[in-house]
Amino acid sequence: MKKIIIFLGPPGSGKGTQAKKIVDKFGYGHISTGDLLRKLQKQVGVALDEKEALESMKEGKLVPDWLIYRLAFKAIESNIDEGKGVVLDGAIRNVAQAEEYHKFFNQKAVEKEVEVIEVTMPDEESFGRLAGRKMCEKCGEIVPKFLAESGVCSKCGSNLITRPDDSEEIVRKRLEEQGNAAITPIREYYIELGMYVAVDGMKSIEEVESEIEGLLKNY
Ligand code: AMP
């Protein structure tokens, strides 16, 4: 199995859920740039350039590429240096980022260890999922609408809240910037490199999981 698994897919496609499953099953490091950015938002004494960069997140826009590289490359490096594989979850959202990561993997001599999996989903479906889902205010677990009725997190028992960027207006902006129109050129980039496979995110979580497991075994 490859050491670097990159997940692509629109917000709400279930790529985070599937990334966590690989992490749990194979002991890989989980690198979600969204989680890293939310952690940075909560920190005190954040550098001014980072604080300004984080503002675009609130509006549903992408944060500048340099902040992504600063956070993600450090996290990838420490996992690789420990001999661990990594799962990148939402860490690549435009072609410039895909190219920069590729350079980084080349420098680290791990470019042959990369596998890209897209969890495909139409933007309208993503919209419905994001608008209804909840997040645990303490551990950050994302909970789909149909499991959120109790109002408490099944993992840690804390309150479930609406993620600030899951409001209807911001979700529309996120899908404009991070939906299928944005993914298409990234998909083409990885197809050209021969690193790309896709799974249908409209199937059940279990079906997607077993398809991914089958694909990973073949590479
Ligand atoms: P997520 O939790 O993956 O939905 O990400 C939440 C927000 O973080 C996104 O709406 C973006 O503003 C920002 N973000 C996460 N990953 C990236 C990335 N690779 N490039 C730019 N912005 C990102």
Side-chain angles (χ1 to χ4, degrees):
M1 185 165 137
K2 302 275 186 190
K3 281 269 178 209
I4 297 160
I5 316 291
I6 295 174
F7 272 101
L8 300 179
S13 58
K15 61 185 183 309
T17 303
Q18 297 297 337
K20 281 185 195 151
K21 289 186 181 292
I22 297 178
V23 166
D24 291 345
K25 265 187 275 188
F26 302 105
Y28 278 32
H30 182 202
I31 297 167
S32 152
T33 40
D35 285 350
L36 290 171
L37 291 163
R38 279 184 287 279
K39 204 167 141 200
L40 190 63
Q41 271 179 329
K42 283 190 195 160
Q43 277 173 24
V44 281
V46 175
L48 191 62
D49 61 342
E50 292 186 346
K51 215 171 183 174
E52 281 171 5
L54 285 167
E55 283 300 306
S56 40
M57 214 179 149
K58 293 185 191 149
E59 296 160 29
K61 295 185 187 153
L62 294 182
V63 306
D65 294 345
W66 59 262
L67 182 56
I68 296 301
Y69 307 147
R70 191 180 285 178
L71 296 173
F73 291 176
K74 196 167 142 213
I76 295 169
E77 207 151 36
S78 66
N79 278 281
I80 291 179
D81 291 349
E82 274 178 44
K84 265 169 77 173
V86 287
V87 182
L88 302 190
D89 170 6
I92 296 174
R93 302 204 194 195
N94 58 39
V95 174
Q97 290 182 7
E99 288 170 347
E100 200 61 26
Y101 275 83
H102 197 59
K103 262 194 244 163
F104 172 76
F105 293 137
N106 270 309
Q107 278 161 13
K108 287 279 184 187
V110 289
E111 74 281 3
K112 294 208 167 58
E113 284 296 329
V114 179
E115 184 61 36
V116 178
I117 301 174
E118 180 182 352
V119 183
T120 62
M121 181 163 284
D123 288 348
E124 313 80 74
E125 175 71 18
S126 297
F127 181 80
R129 292 190 183 195
L130 291 177
R133 72 182 190 179
K134 299 280 178 199
M135 181 183 79
C136 172
E137 64 177 354
K138 187 151 178 240
C139 73
E141 179 74 6
I142 298 287
V143 185
K145 191 179 183 179
F146 71 99
L147 291 175
E149 271 167 20
S150 71
V152 291
C153 174
S154 62
K155 290 247 160 94
C156 76
S158 301
N159 284 334
L160 296 179
I161 56 167
T162 298
R163 212 173 96 172
D165 59 350
D166 277 350
S167 73
E168 196 174 317
E169 191 197 341
I170 305 289
V171 165
R172 283 194 201 286
K173 290 209 182 113
R174 283 166 69 199
L175 285 172
E176 267 168 38
E177 280 219 7
Q178 304 168 45
N180 281 286
I183 293 169
T184 300
I186 310 175
R187 180 189 303 134
E188 284 165 1
Y189 175 81
Y190 284 120
I191 290 174
E192 187 77 16
L193 288 176
M195 294 174 170
Y196 174 90
V197 288
V199 289
D200 180 0
M202 296 295 282
K203 292 187 177 164
S204 72
I205 292 177
E206 294 75 23
E207 280 174 302
V208 176
E209 181 184 1
S210 82
E211 252 183 59
I212 290 176
E213 213 169 317
L215 286 168
L216 290 175
K217 276 187 195 142
N218 290 331
Y219 291 96

